[in-house]
Amino acid sequence: MYIVTNRTVDESKHSENEAFGSKPIEGPNELRLAEASRRGNRWHIKILPDQITSAMAKSVDLNPDNTYPASAYVARKLIENPATAPSRRNPDETCCCLFMATTTI
């Protein structure tokens, strides 16, 4: 599952309670992307960098010599394998969907 959030993030943390802060990022145009997957009965959160790495670009068939935003990586991941939505037999599979994490002001 991919998460779009306007919350502050801690890239070194990987649980949903620690990776996302309690306050919105300063400024109305700041959004961050994260990839969430199940590991047993827990969520594992990977905050994506603003600009993807060369290895990430290569993994989704983008030119690793160029720079791309995290949204390009997520779009390619969703397009390349839309069949990865969780099945009823295995609900722990990674899901390709978008979830908007919002905040009230």
Side-chain angles (χ1 to χ4, degrees):
M1 171 169 43
Y2 292 95
I3 300 169
V4 179
T5 185
N6 67 343
R7 298 283 178 166
T8 56
V9 296
D10 185 340
E11 294 182 25
S12 68
K13 305 293 184 185
H14 299 286
S15 74
E16 68 274 15
N17 295 331
E18 296 175 328
F20 303 106
S22 61
K23 296 183 179 183
I25 297 172
E26 297 295 324
N29 296 323
E30 296 293 324
L31 293 175
R32 292 297 301 266
L33 291 167
E35 186 173 15
S37 58
R38 295 291 283 181
R39 291 193 179 173
N41 63 350
R42 295 184 177 193
W43 286 104
H44 178 80
I45 307 297
K46 178 183 174 191
I47 304 295
L48 300 177
D50 285 330
Q51 298 292 318
I52 64 173
T53 65
S54 296
M56 292 171 75
K58 192 173 182 179
S59 74
V60 292
D61 295 326
L62 291 170
N63 183 342
D65 296 328
N66 293 340
T67 58
Y68 301 96
S71 58
Y73 172 81
V74 171
R76 295 284 258 207
K77 292 293 275 189
L78 292 172
I79 290 169
E80 83 179 9
N81 199 358
T84 59
S87 66
R88 291 189 176 160
R89 287 178 297 217
N90 188 359
D92 289 340
E93 292 178 31
T94 299
C95 170
C96 285
C97 57
L98 290 173
F99 172 79
M100 177 62 96
T102 60
T103 183
T104 56
I105 298 174

